[in-house]
Amino acid sequence: MVRPLCLLFDCDGTLVDSEPLLAEEMEHSLTEAGLPFRASDYVGEFRGARFRHIVATLEARYGRVDADRLKMLEQRMRANLDRRLAVDLEMIDGAAEALAALVGHPMGVVTNGPLRKVRTSLSATALERAFGDNLFSAYEVGCWKPDPGLYQYAANKMGYHPQDCVAIDDALVGVKAALDAGCVVVHLNRFPDVEPTPEGAIMITSMLQLPTVVARLTNTRQLLSSG
């Protein structure tokens, strides 16, 4: 009997629509720190990237900023974001339906975001029961996408080899990380007109398509194991 595929979900932009809120808070904080940043820059250039990577990129363009002031602004930004997530956050269309249809598969969340933010996001959208404690944050592991180590770590903790996991990620940094980790990768491409899906990944444009993709992958595995 073939074990069910393990499903590893990104959070921001895949399960919850937190990125617009994050981008707005980053615009306020980074611009105040002397690093010009617009909310549209996040989707256009930095979607899914680690906050410190964004800061380093902006500092290379506009000059270094005082580290203590930046730390203070980041703390304020994250506190403001937590409050907004608890009140204004919505899930990605089709996420609840997809998770309900995929009951029976072990599921985890693999994210570049802090663990507190992940818990707040899942609680605010009532998605936390699908994942339990299977939450894997780069801040806890010390490894950020696009490094494949985060997905490899999550797969191992779930008791699976990466090749027996399906990673579902909307950001190119996450897709690259999962591909390099050896996972089967589904790219939730919500911007197909402007964002190509990397070679080797399966593109979907709606979470409602995910159960069909997972069923197809499951059937293929069963045929291979019986042959």
Side-chain angles (χ1 to χ4, degrees):
M1 191 73 178
V2 178
R3 283 201 301 170
L5 288 162
C6 179
L7 308 181
L8 300 176
F9 291 82
D10 175 52
C11 187
D12 300 309
T14 299
L15 293 171
V16 299
D17 197 17
S18 54
E19 291 178 330
L21 303 179
L22 173 61
E24 289 173 8
E25 292 302 325
M26 288 176 60
E27 177 177 313
H28 297 319
S29 298
L30 290 172
T31 301
E32 184 175 344
L35 299 173
F37 185 87
R38 296 172 300 176
S40 58
D41 294 335
Y42 181 80
V43 173
E45 183 177 1
F46 296 112
R47 195 157 57 84
R50 182 187 180 191
F51 180 75
R52 288 293 173 180
H53 167 76
I54 297 172
V55 169
T57 301
L58 295 176
E59 284 187 320
R61 294 175 187 172
Y62 303 112
R64 298 292 299 272
V65 300
D66 179 76
D68 289 337
R69 183 161 184 261
L70 183 62
K71 182 179 180 180
M72 179 192 69
L73 289 171
E74 181 182 355
Q75 290 173 342
R76 189 175 71 189
M77 176 196 79
R78 294 197 182 281
N80 289 340
L81 180 60
D82 282 347
R83 285 192 289 271
R84 295 188 66 186
L85 290 174
V87 176
D88 299 327
L89 183 64
E90 297 180 356
M91 71 179 73
I92 292 293
D93 288 345
E97 293 87 345
L99 294 178
L102 291 165
V103 168
H105 290 270
M107 301 184 196
V109 175
V110 182
T111 174
N112 271 356
L115 189 57
R116 184 180 66 180
K117 176 171 172 281
V118 178
R119 293 190 186 280
T120 299
S121 297
L122 295 178
S123 176
T125 52
L127 296 177
E128 72 271 31
R129 283 182 291 181
F131 304 102
D133 292 327
N134 298 322
L135 308 177
F136 306 101
S137 163
Y139 285 82
E140 304 296 315
V141 179
C143 180
W144 281 261
K145 307 171 191 178
D147 190 307
L150 183 57
Y151 271 113
Q152 291 168 338
Y153 176 88
N156 179 63
K157 286 296 185 180
M158 296 287 290
Y160 278 77
H161 295 294
Q163 60 265 32
D164 296 320
C165 297
V166 179
I168 304 96
D169 209 306
D170 72 300
L172 294 181
V173 292
V175 172
K176 179 180 183 342
L179 286 171
D180 290 346
C183 300
V184 179
V185 182
V186 175
H187 178 205
L188 175 60
N189 191 345
R190 298 188 292 121
F191 309 98
D193 293 338
V194 297
E195 185 170 275
T197 290
E199 184 177 354
I202 302 165
M203 186 183 81
I204 61 174
T205 56
S206 167
M207 283 290 281
L208 294 173
Q209 298 169 293
L210 182 61
T212 300
V213 172
V214 173
R216 186 172 71 243
L217 292 169
T218 298
N219 290 338
T220 299
R221 291 176 81 239
Q222 290 174 341
L223 287 172
L224 290 173
S225 68
S226 63

